[in-house]
């Protein structure tokens, strides 16, 4: 076909697509019931992928890194000719770290934007709000980074490319026990956050199983800014480590107040600490602390170094585990579409469920029968005002 002919052919196709849409060829068929297998997007020359993430709320680096990771993957694939010969078009909606907004964002991405598949959210609490909407509409959803076990239990259209908090809790317990040689830990967690509640519980289970003691469990809420009464109690418990499975945006404050209260022992956290802004406003209060993450940008693996280079050049920041997971989630989705040889949602779902040994930046990804990935975790340290690689813990290293 000549260039011009191809052009008018494409124009004809989009005109047809428009007529079909205007005819009311029920856009509901795009968002048909689970397993109806009828869902492809209305646009004939593009495949729309929706992303929902916190772009402007308290944890906006979660959204920023997710958006960047997915954008990088989309630009690369589009430069290579796209997926199934079509360009990928991204639609991104802000959740502002609010479950109601998350639900609305997903509804819009499906009903208005006609997304073929959805990537998001980061926070488990928000994925738990968005996943049922994807499931009801038969739209495959991949969360790059929600680690709470409940997320993928929302249904067979819900996937993740990261490890679970059952594993992460065991990793941190092992690290506290074997590497830090501690046996007495106090826990301070956010009881308004499903992720934090879950991770506190899984850590406790694993740590006590290893013979460790939990000296006390204190709680806070995401809206709090004064943690001194909890910290005073914790000081009295005389722990060897304080485990704080919260998000990065609170950690500077918590750590500074802890040091002011005379708590000098290391603090330990999970992937929720992962952010280019973790040390912002922390002074040196987080020095000597540790947290688990999904990868380390210091890993000499050439695949990782290539990703770190491309991402940093484009966005001017070193990618944390979150950006790596977002990049991987998008590429897993593209690979599944190619395997499915179709942009049909049910076909994509089936291909996602069969993903085996996908070589991601964040590690090898295989979907298990619960649509979860089994991966290793990296433990990172805060040393000399920098985040550095400490150790890597494999699924086979921990008991769960
Ligand atoms: N795992 C966290 C959750 O489920 C989200 C997160 C992942 C945050 C990775 C930072 C890095 O809520």
């Amino acid at each position: 076909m000549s260039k011009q002919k191809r052009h008018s052919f494409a124009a004809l196709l989009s005109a047809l697509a428009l007529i079909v849409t205007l005819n009311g060829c029920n856009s509901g068929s795009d968002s048909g019931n689970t397993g109806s297998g009828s869902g492809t997007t209305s646009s004939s020359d593009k495949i729309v992928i929706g992303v929902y993430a916190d772009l402007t709320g308290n944890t906006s680096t979660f959204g920023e890194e997710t958006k960047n990771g997915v954008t990088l993957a989309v630009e690369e694939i589009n430069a290579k000719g796209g997926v199934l010969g079509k360009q990928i078009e991204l639609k991104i909606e802000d959740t502002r770290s609010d479950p109601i907004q998350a639900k609305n964002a997903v509804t819009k991405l499906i009903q208005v934007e006609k997304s073929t598949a959805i990537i998001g959210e980061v926070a488990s609490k928000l994925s738990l709000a968005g996943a049922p909407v994807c499931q009801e509409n038969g739209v495959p959803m991949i969360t790059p980074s929600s680690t709470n076990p409940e997320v993928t239990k929302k249904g067979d259209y819900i996937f993740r490319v990261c490890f679970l908090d059952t594993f992460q809790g065991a990793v941190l317990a092992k690290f506290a026990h074997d590497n830090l040689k501690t046996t007495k830990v106090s826990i301070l967690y956010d009881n308004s956050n499903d992720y934090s509640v879950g991770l506190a519980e899984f850590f406790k289970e694993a740590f006590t199983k290893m013979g460790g003691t939990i000296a006390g469990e204190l709680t806070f809420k995401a809206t709090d800014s004064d943690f001194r009464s909890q910290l005073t109690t914790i000081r009295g418990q005389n722990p060897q480590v304080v485990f704080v499975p919260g998000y990065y945006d609170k950690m500077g404050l918590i750590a500074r107040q802890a040091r002011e209260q005379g708590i000098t022992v290391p603090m330990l956290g999970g992937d929720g600490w992962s952010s280019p802004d973790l040390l912002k406003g922390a002074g040196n209060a987080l020095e000597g602390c540790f947290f688990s993450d999904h990868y380390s940008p210091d890993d000499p693996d050439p695949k990782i170094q290539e990703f770190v280079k491309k991402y940093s050049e484009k966005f001017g920041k070193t990618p944390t585990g979150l950006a790596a997971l977002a990049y991987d989630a998008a590429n897993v989705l593209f690979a599944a579409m190619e395997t499915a040889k179709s942009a049909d949602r049910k076909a994509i779902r089936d291909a996602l469920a069969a993903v085996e040994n996908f070589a991601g930046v964040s590690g090898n990804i295989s979907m298990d029968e619960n649509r979860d990935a089994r991966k290793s975790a990296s433990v990172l340290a805060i040393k000399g005002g920098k985040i550095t690689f400490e150790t890597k813990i494999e699924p086979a290293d921990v008991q769960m």
Side-chain angles (χ1 to χ4, degrees):
M1 230 189 275
S2 76
K3 211 174 181 183
Q4 205 188 349
K5 263 193 190 156
R6 220 185 306 145
H7 194 76
S8 45
F9 182 61
L12 180 67
L13 273 186
S14 12
L16 277 177
L18 189 67
I19 292 165
V20 167
T21 318
L22 289 178
N23 262 344
C25 175
N26 192 5
S27 56
S29 71
D30 286 353
S31 45
N33 290 331
T34 303
S36 67
S38 56
T40 46
T41 47
S42 50
S43 164
S44 57
D45 55 346
K46 278 184 188 137
I47 297 174
V48 177
I49 302 299
V51 175
Y52 69 121
D54 174 13
L55 298 170
T56 57
N58 286 342
T59 50
S60 59
T61 68
F62 287 175
E64 182 193 330
E65 289 208 284
T66 302
K67 181 180 162 190
N68 291 350
V70 175
T71 300
L72 183 60
V74 169
E75 285 185 8
E76 285 176 5
I77 201 89
N78 280 347
K80 285 188 215 148
V83 179
L84 306 167
K86 297 180 181 183
Q87 292 287 291
I88 297 290
E89 188 178 358
L90 268 188
K91 297 283 180 187
I92 306 181
E93 286 292 319
D94 188 3
T95 64
R96 289 182 254 150
S97 200
D98 173 42
I100 294 169
Q101 289 300 330
K103 201 173 163 210
N104 292 342
V106 172
T107 305
K108 181 174 174 203
L109 288 170
I110 296 173
Q111 304 297 350
V112 181
E113 308 293 6
K114 310 279 183 251
S115 305
T116 291
I118 290 188
I119 297 175
E121 230 272 354
V122 171
S124 292
K125 184 175 176 167
L126 304 177
S127 287
L128 286 168
V133 184
C134 291
Q135 182 66 29
E136 278 156 26
N137 288 286
V139 178
M141 172 184 130
I142 308 178
T143 169
S145 40
S146 288
T147 45
N148 187 281
E150 295 306 312
V151 174
T152 46
K153 292 184 188 162
K154 292 291 175 197
D156 61 349
Y157 275 70
I158 316 301
F159 297 85
R160 82 178 103 215
V161 293
C162 55
F163 53 63
L164 295 181
D165 285 334
T166 36
F167 170 67
Q168 184 165 218
V171 161
L172 290 163
K174 181 182 162 65
F175 183 77
H177 189 270
D178 295 356
N179 298 61
L180 300 179
K181 312 255 178 263
T182 57
T183 55
K184 192 178 167 193
V185 175
S186 292
I187 304 179
L188 175 62
Y189 67 94
D190 177 353
N191 63 1
S192 65
N193 176 334
D194 299 87
Y195 155 79
S196 194
V197 173
L199 191 51
E201 185 58 37
F202 301 129
F203 174 90
K204 180 174 144 186
E205 248 172 61
F207 195 64
T208 48
K209 223 189 248 172
M210 303 177 92
T213 313
I214 303 298
E217 288 174 77
L218 284 294
T219 62
F220 64 94
K221 292 214 179 333
T223 45
D224 290 351
S225 54
D226 186 348
F227 308 92
R228 281 172 289 204
S229 82
Q230 293 96 317
L231 291 166
T232 311
T233 308
I234 288 175
R235 187 186 53 210
Q237 293 165 347
N238 207 18
Q240 295 161 312
V241 164
V242 184
F243 178 46
V244 192
Y247 289 157
Y248 74 93
D249 62 309
K250 285 280 155 354
M251 285 319 304
L253 206 53
I254 293 177
R256 276 202 338 258
Q257 290 179 9
R259 303 311 178 214
E260 278 160 28
Q261 301 298 308
I263 298 172
T264 55
V265 296
M267 295 194 156
L268 184 63
D271 58 350
W273 286 25
S274 185
S275 165
D277 287 354
L278 174 66
L279 302 179
K280 244 190 198 167
N284 62 358
L286 283 168
E287 187 67 22
C289 296
F290 303 90
F291 65 100
S292 46
D293 205 339
H294 299 265
Y295 97 134
S296 164
D298 298 340
D299 193 318
D301 180 332
K303 188 161 25 72
I304 295 181
Q305 284 316 311
E306 196 198 324
F307 169 71
V308 171
K309 183 166 176 275
K310 283 188 298 199
Y311 185 101
S312 325
E313 274 170 13
K314 189 167 170 59
F315 303 110
K317 276 182 191 169
T318 303
T320 74
L322 209 46
L325 287 171
Y327 181 77
D328 284 350
N331 282 319
V332 163
L333 177 60
F334 303 152
M337 288 167 135
E338 291 290 357
T339 310
K341 298 196 174 55
S342 155
D344 175 86
R345 290 164 174 162
K346 168 75 163 65
I348 297 170
R349 190 225 79 90
D350 293 346
L352 281 172
V355 165
E356 187 77 49
N357 259 318
F358 179 93
V361 171
S362 64
N364 257 23
I365 297 164
S366 301
M367 286 296 165
D368 71 9
E369 65 281 12
N370 302 315
R371 299 165 304 284
D372 297 326
R374 199 177 138 92
K375 315 257 293 283
S376 61
S378 293
V379 178
L380 308 183
I382 297 143
K383 273 189 192 146
K386 287 205 169 63
I387 297 169
T388 61
F389 174 77
E390 183 74 13
T391 184
K392 197 167 184 168
I393 299 182
E394 304 288 340
D397 300 337
V398 299
Q399 286 181 338
M400 274 159 50

